[in-house]
Amino acid sequence: MSQLTPAVVTSFMKRNPLNKYGVFAGVTVGVLIVAYINLIGATMGTFFPAAPSWFQDLNVGIVALLANIVVSLIVSAATRSLSASRDSAAAERAAVKGA
């Protein structure tokens, strides 16, 4: 449930930095991280034994949420120009058909 937080919070912004592709990719990555770590029974301390204790005690959901945010922003930025060019090409085709 917490994996939807970035999408919900940014949906209230005037200029939403996320699009549907970024949200989908981010939520997928976050859920896969949580599922994998829970399935193998690991903790952050398992992956980073030399890290400080505050880092080893981090909840896996927080780490997955951070990964979700990063992936969501990257995919949204990468697909924003693709969807904009696709929209302009569709508008151009519609204008040619109408003429």
Side-chain angles (χ1 to χ4, degrees), residues 5-71:
T5 302
V8 172
V9 169
T10 59
S11 70
F12 293 113
M13 300 172 107
K14 196 169 220 168
R15 291 186 44 95
N16 189 345
L18 303 181
N19 61 21
K20 61 184 177 183
Y21 307 109
V23 169
F24 180 77
V27 168
T28 302
V29 166
V31 168
L32 288 175
I33 288 172
V34 170
Y36 175 73
I37 291 176
N38 283 328
L39 283 174
I40 64 171
T43 63
M44 291 306 293
T46 307
F47 293 115
F48 304 101
S53 63
W54 65 267
F55 185 80
Q56 291 182 4
D57 294 336
L58 272 179
N59 186 320
V60 174
I62 293 172
V63 175
L65 187 61
L66 292 174
N68 175 345
I69 292 168
V70 169
V71 169

Side-chain angles (χ1 to χ4, degrees), residues 83-94:
S83 62
S85 65
R86 193 176 314 132
D87 290 344
S88 66
E92 188 176 304
R93 282 193 301 274

